[in-house]
């Protein structure tokens, strides 16, 4: 597996696409969604192989790839397997049958995971060893270290292990999703005189997977042993009087998607029940080490009802997501930077009253933050000011991913205790954060906040904060809207936009959306915001239609879209129509793209690129030239069916000219100029990494923003 550098010349792809009388395009006009997502994971893996990144960051990319692949199997592969069980029928635009998709995924992932462990063993671990960071194997320990490891096993590990023999009275145990387990082969008789030749030893999740050796045994160096090595070395202690002839680690991946009916009486209670089911969903993947004998792996495959192409042999630990990487060695990490607070929110501006400075600043003008280059602190500070301001009457907020330790949640709780009317719309079904969100809901309810769970059947994904304040005997509203979650940790590594505004029309629109979420009635008639599942898709279609009309009239027509994914068929078809009319279309997509760009006659005027770098690209920006009367929206929504039809989403206009220019230059054009950390998609569905032409200066979009916003590298 490799990613090639893109040639400077552009070659159009020729495919036999067709258009039907109803306006739809033939299946080969689309790229399979799951295969496209898999290609994104490969672009992440490529970062681990790149010497451009500091060593520990490369290790982190390797860990991210492992985590991404876990979720890919738990959700996407599991979903395709369910479709296969219901019938091997093509039911998606690309026309591939589930069996064909699974076979393609298997071929790609087996090569990718082999490459992952090659990078680990041949590149990263040797380089770490040169920095005295080592993950020691059992045969690399000296006598003192071996003795310490034995004591550690006896004192810390053995008391919490439960070996389970496989016999008529002890059937094969039900193993938790993604848990580390060992299968041991045995000889001899046990205490009851039984001939037992197999046993399973689950490793409790409470045990650390990586154990640091004491400084006195390493001279203070970062030397570690894996839990798997500790158990493997001393597993004989668990079976006294018997001979352990083999010990092999393995890991089972299960379907982890939740199946929640739309007619439940209590979403929170229903989710709590489903979370338990997630631990024991259908089996989708088995991982063993390369030295696991075929009879053992065959036995496990048979036990789990899996096929040989669902077996993954790895040359190292079966779970890399729990490798240690966060060592305090600055020279092996990215250069640190200071997250900037926008000038409008600095306390000394115009000597504003500290208790009202943010409200006064928002009354003067809209304020934009671009995370992580700009600090997330203003979002938190605004909530705390509102919580402690006697003039504030009410706070309303959507929460998608958060936690009870979040400053956002603490500020909302404090506001409720201070007598404010606090309403939190918490989306409990944010994948893998369901339990945390339930805890947040309980915490806020105990503080006196009103907690609602949005609309059954529609995830609340919009990022909205509304503060109602009494000023001079009248009500004024203040709003924050964002492209990313209200999560301070994510704001340090995700790129997102946030807009602070006191615009009366936008504030009224946000007020109406909260009324929709907490009450009943017809869809709100909004003045400025675009709102899924009601108006957003139709408006996007009409905006593209207008660009088509401009192009046909001989005028300049231009569309730039930056989102995480593009999978919605009608929008793709409309972009094809626009390309054929002569509209210039530039798409900046982080992960999935079902559209085929640069296909002769179909999409000659469409280019697609992806940026993978230090930060996870997460901003959503829609730009339409509109014959010079330019439109720009930032949004919480990607261009996917789920966002446009099955979620509550908001797109908000950028009307301030200075902020418009800032987003256009920094958030769009800057990314289109990246020639090092960018990939370009061709009409065949292949991504190629861009490289600067001869004598062309290197331009890396995220590095540019660090330099101009945070002064890094000057």
């Amino acid at each position: 597996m490799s990613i090639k550098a893109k040639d400077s010349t552009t070659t159009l792809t020729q495919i036999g696409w067709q258009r039907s009388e109803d306006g739809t395009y033939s299946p080969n006009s689309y790229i399979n969604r799951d295969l496209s997502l898999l290609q994104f994971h490969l672009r992440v893996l490529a970062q681990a192989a790149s010497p451009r990144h500091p060593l520990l960051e490369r290790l982190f990319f390797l860990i991210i790839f492992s985590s991404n692949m876990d979720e890919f199997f738990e959700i996407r592969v599991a979903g395709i397997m369910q479709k296969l069980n219901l019938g091997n029928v093509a039911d998606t635009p690309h026309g591939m049958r589930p069996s064909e998709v699974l076979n393609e995924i298997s071929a790609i992932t087996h090569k990718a995971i082999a490459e992952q462990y090659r990078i680990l063993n041949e590149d990263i671990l040797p380089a770490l060893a040169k920095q005295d960071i080592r993950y020691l194997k059992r045969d690399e320990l000296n006598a003192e270290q071996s003795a310490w490891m034995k004591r550690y096993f006896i004192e810390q590990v053995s008391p919490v292990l439960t070996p389970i023999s496989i016999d008529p009275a002890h059937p094969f145990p039900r193993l938790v999703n993604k848990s580390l387990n060992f299968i041991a082969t045995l000889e001899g008789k046990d205490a009851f005189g039984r001939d037992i030749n197999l046993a399973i030893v689950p490793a409790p999740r409470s045990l650390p997977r990586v154990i640091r050796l004491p400084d006195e045994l390493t001279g203070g160096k970062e030397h570690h042993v894996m839990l798997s090595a500790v158990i493997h070395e001393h597993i004989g202690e668990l079976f006294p009087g018997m001979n352990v002839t083999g010990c092999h680690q393995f890991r089972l991946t299960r379907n982890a998607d939740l199946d929640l009916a739309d007619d439940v009486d209590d979403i929170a209670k229903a989710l709590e029940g489903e979370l338990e089911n997630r631990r024991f969903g259908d089996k989708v993947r088995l991982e063993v080490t390369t030295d696991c004998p075929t009879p053992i792996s065959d036995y496990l495959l048979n036990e789990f009802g899996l096929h040989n192409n669902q077996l993954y042999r790895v040359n190292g630990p079966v779970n890399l997501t729990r490798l240690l990487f966060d060592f305090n060695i600055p020279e092996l990490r990215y250069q640190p930077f200071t997250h900037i607070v926008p000038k409008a929110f600095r306390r000394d501006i115009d000597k504003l009253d500290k208790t009202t400075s943010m409200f006064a600043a928002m009354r003067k003008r809209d304020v934009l933050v671009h995370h992580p280059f700009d600090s997330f602190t203003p979002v938190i500070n605004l909530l705390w000011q509102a919580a402690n301001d006697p003039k504030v009457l009410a706070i309303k907020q959507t929460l998608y991913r958060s936690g009870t330790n979040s400053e956002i949640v603490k500020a909302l709780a404090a506001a409720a205790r201070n007598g404010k009317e606090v309403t939190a719309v918490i989306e409990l079904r944010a994948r893998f954060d369901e339990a945390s969100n339930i805890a947040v809901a309980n915490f806020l309810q105990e503080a006196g906040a009103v907690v609602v769970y949005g609309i059954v059947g529609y995830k609340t994904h919009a990022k909205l904060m509304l503060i109602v304040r009494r000023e001079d005997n009248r009500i004024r509203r203040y709003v924050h809207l964002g492209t990313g979650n209200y999560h301070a940790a994510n704001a340090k590594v995700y790129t997102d936009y946030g807009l602070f505004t006191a615009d009366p029309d936008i504030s009224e629109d946000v007020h109406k959306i909260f009324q929709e979420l907490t009450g009943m009635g017809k869809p709100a008639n909004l003045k400025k915001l675009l709102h899924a599942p009601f108006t957003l898709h139709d408006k996007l279609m009409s905006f593209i239609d207008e660009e088509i009309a401009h192009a046909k009239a001989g005028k300049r027509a231009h569309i730039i879209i930056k989102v995480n994914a593009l999978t919605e068929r009608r929008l793709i078809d409309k972009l094809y129509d626009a390309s054929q009319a002569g509209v210039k279309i530039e798409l900046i997509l982080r992960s999935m793209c079902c559209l085929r760009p640069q296909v002769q006659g179909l999409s000659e005027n469409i280019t697609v690129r992806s940026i993978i770098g230090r930060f996870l690209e997460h901003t959503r920006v829609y730009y339409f030239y509109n014959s010079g009367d330019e439109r720009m929206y930032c949004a919480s929504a990607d261009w996917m069916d789920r966002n446009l039809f099955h979620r509550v989403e908001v797109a908000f206009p950028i009307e301030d000219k200075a902020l418009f220019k800032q987003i256009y230059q920094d958030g769009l054009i800057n990314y289109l100029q990246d020639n090092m950390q960018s990939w370009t998609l061709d009409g065949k569905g292949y991504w190629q990494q861009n490289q600067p032409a001869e004598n062309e200066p290197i331009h890396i979009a995220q590095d540019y923003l660090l330099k101009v916003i945070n002064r890094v590298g000057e």
Side-chain angles (χ1 to χ4, degrees), residues 447-468:
V450 174
V451 175
V452 296
Y453 303 134
I455 309 299
V456 174
Y458 296 86
K459 283 187 177 181
T460 302
H461 194 248
K463 324 301 181 185
L464 306 172
M465 179 197 300
L466 174 67
I467 297 171
V468 182

Short mmCIF file of all heavy atoms in Angstrom, two decimals, residues 447-468:
data_model
loop_
_atom_site.label_atom_id
_atom_site.label_comp_id
_atom_site.label_asym_id
_atom_site.label_seq_id
_atom_site.Cartn_x
_atom_site.Cartn_y
_atom_site.Cartn_z
N ALA A 447 -28.97 19.97 39.00
CA ALA A 447 -28.67 21.39 39.25
C ALA A 447 -29.89 22.28 39.03
O ALA A 447 -29.84 23.47 39.34
CB ALA A 447 -27.52 21.85 38.35
N GLY A 448 -30.95 21.72 38.46
CA GLY A 448 -32.16 22.50 38.24
C GLY A 448 -32.40 22.93 36.81
O GLY A 448 -33.33 23.70 36.54
N ALA A 449 -31.57 22.45 35.87
CA ALA A 449 -31.77 22.79 34.47
C ALA A 449 -32.87 21.93 33.86
O ALA A 449 -33.13 20.82 34.31
CB ALA A 449 -30.47 22.59 33.69
N VAL A 450 -33.50 22.48 32.85
CA VAL A 450 -34.46 21.71 32.06
C VAL A 450 -33.67 20.97 30.98
O VAL A 450 -32.95 21.60 30.20
CB VAL A 450 -35.52 22.61 31.42
CG1 VAL A 450 -36.43 21.81 30.49
CG2 VAL A 450 -36.34 23.32 32.49
N VAL A 451 -33.81 19.65 30.94
CA VAL A 451 -33.07 18.84 29.97
C VAL A 451 -34.05 18.15 29.05
O VAL A 451 -34.98 17.49 29.51
CB VAL A 451 -32.17 17.81 30.68
CG1 VAL A 451 -31.51 16.89 29.66
CG2 VAL A 451 -31.11 18.51 31.52
N VAL A 452 -33.84 18.32 27.76
CA VAL A 452 -34.64 17.59 26.77
C VAL A 452 -33.68 16.88 25.82
O VAL A 452 -32.52 17.25 25.70
CB VAL A 452 -35.58 18.53 25.98
CG1 VAL A 452 -36.60 19.16 26.90
CG2 VAL A 452 -34.79 19.61 25.25
N TYR A 453 -34.21 15.85 25.17
CA TYR A 453 -33.37 15.02 24.32
C TYR A 453 -33.65 15.22 22.84
O TYR A 453 -33.40 14.35 22.02
CB TYR A 453 -33.56 13.54 24.69
CG TYR A 453 -33.28 13.25 26.14
CD1 TYR A 453 -34.15 12.46 26.89
CD2 TYR A 453 -32.17 13.79 26.77
CE1 TYR A 453 -33.91 12.19 28.22
CE2 TYR A 453 -31.91 13.53 28.11
CZ TYR A 453 -32.79 12.73 28.83
OH TYR A 453 -32.54 12.48 30.16
N GLY A 454 -34.17 16.38 22.48
CA GLY A 454 -34.40 16.66 21.07
C GLY A 454 -35.60 15.93 20.53
O GLY A 454 -36.60 15.73 21.22
N ILE A 455 -35.52 15.51 19.27
CA ILE A 455 -36.65 14.92 18.56
C ILE A 455 -36.35 13.46 18.26
O ILE A 455 -35.30 13.14 17.69
CB ILE A 455 -36.91 15.67 17.24
CG1 ILE A 455 -37.00 17.18 17.48
CG2 ILE A 455 -38.16 15.14 16.56
CD1 ILE A 455 -38.11 17.60 18.41
N VAL A 456 -37.25 12.57 18.65
CA VAL A 456 -37.07 11.15 18.36
C VAL A 456 -37.00 10.96 16.85
O VAL A 456 -37.83 11.47 16.10
CB VAL A 456 -38.23 10.32 18.95
CG1 VAL A 456 -38.11 8.87 18.51
CG2 VAL A 456 -38.23 10.42 20.47
N GLY A 457 -35.99 10.24 16.40
CA GLY A 457 -35.83 10.00 14.97
C GLY A 457 -34.93 11.00 14.28
O GLY A 457 -34.56 10.80 13.12
N TYR A 458 -34.58 12.09 14.96
CA TYR A 458 -33.72 13.13 14.38
C TYR A 458 -32.66 13.51 15.41
O TYR A 458 -32.99 14.07 16.46
CB TYR A 458 -34.52 14.38 14.01
CG TYR A 458 -35.54 14.15 12.93
CD1 TYR A 458 -36.82 13.70 13.25
CD2 TYR A 458 -35.24 14.38 11.60
CE1 TYR A 458 -37.77 13.49 12.27
CE2 TYR A 458 -36.18 14.17 10.60
CZ TYR A 458 -37.45 13.72 10.94
OH TYR A 458 -38.38 13.51 9.97
N LYS A 459 -31.41 13.22 15.12
CA LYS A 459 -30.35 13.65 16.02
C LYS A 459 -30.22 15.16 15.99
O LYS A 459 -30.26 15.78 14.92
CB LYS A 459 -29.02 13.01 15.63
CG LYS A 459 -28.85 11.56 16.02
CD LYS A 459 -27.43 11.09 15.76
CE LYS A 459 -27.23 9.66 16.20
NZ LYS A 459 -25.85 9.18 15.97
N THR A 460 -30.05 15.75 17.17
CA THR A 460 -29.81 17.20 17.25
C THR A 460 -28.31 17.43 17.14
O THR A 460 -27.56 17.23 18.10
CB THR A 460 -30.36 17.78 18.55
OG1 THR A 460 -31.76 17.49 18.64
CG2 THR A 460 -30.15 19.28 18.60
N HIS A 461 -27.87 17.86 15.96
CA HIS A 461 -26.45 18.02 15.67
C HIS A 461 -26.05 19.48 15.55
O HIS A 461 -24.88 19.81 15.44
CB HIS A 461 -26.13 17.27 14.36
CG HIS A 461 -24.68 17.06 14.11
ND1 HIS A 461 -24.00 17.69 13.08
CD2 HIS A 461 -23.76 16.30 14.75
CE1 HIS A 461 -22.74 17.31 13.09
NE2 HIS A 461 -22.55 16.48 14.09
N ALA A 462 -27.03 20.39 15.54
CA ALA A 462 -26.75 21.82 15.45
C ALA A 462 -25.99 22.30 16.68
O ALA A 462 -26.21 21.79 17.79
CB ALA A 462 -28.05 22.60 15.30
N LYS A 463 -25.12 23.29 16.50
CA LYS A 463 -24.30 23.82 17.60
C LYS A 463 -24.80 25.23 17.92
O LYS A 463 -24.44 26.20 17.24
CB LYS A 463 -22.82 23.86 17.21
CG LYS A 463 -22.35 22.70 16.34
CD LYS A 463 -22.53 21.34 16.95
CE LYS A 463 -22.01 20.26 16.00
NZ LYS A 463 -22.28 18.91 16.50
N LEU A 464 -25.64 25.33 18.92
CA LEU A 464 -26.33 26.59 19.21
C LEU A 464 -26.25 26.94 20.69
O LEU A 464 -26.42 26.08 21.56
CB LEU A 464 -27.82 26.47 18.84
CG LEU A 464 -28.17 26.02 17.42
CD1 LEU A 464 -29.66 25.77 17.31
CD2 LEU A 464 -27.73 27.05 16.41
N MET A 465 -26.02 28.21 20.97
CA MET A 465 -26.11 28.75 22.32
C MET A 465 -26.89 30.06 22.24
O MET A 465 -26.59 30.92 21.41
CB MET A 465 -24.72 29.01 22.91
CG MET A 465 -24.74 29.60 24.32
SD MET A 465 -23.14 30.33 24.78
CE MET A 465 -22.05 28.93 24.65
N LEU A 466 -27.89 30.21 23.10
CA LEU A 466 -28.72 31.41 23.13
C LEU A 466 -28.76 31.95 24.56
O LEU A 466 -29.09 31.21 25.49
CB LEU A 466 -30.13 31.08 22.65
CG LEU A 466 -31.17 32.20 22.75
CD1 LEU A 466 -30.82 33.33 21.78
CD2 LEU A 466 -32.57 31.67 22.46
N ILE A 467 -28.42 33.23 24.71
CA ILE A 467 -28.45 33.89 26.02
C ILE A 467 -29.44 35.04 25.95
O ILE A 467 -29.36 35.90 25.06
CB ILE A 467 -27.05 34.40 26.42
CG1 ILE A 467 -26.08 33.21 26.57
CG2 ILE A 467 -27.11 35.21 27.71
CD1 ILE A 467 -24.64 33.62 26.73
N VAL A 468 -30.40 35.05 26.89
CA VAL A 468 -31.43 36.08 26.93
C VAL A 468 -31.12 37.01 28.09
O VAL A 468 -31.00 36.58 29.24
CB VAL A 468 -32.83 35.46 27.11
CG1 VAL A 468 -33.89 36.54 27.11
CG2 VAL A 468 -33.10 34.44 26.00
#
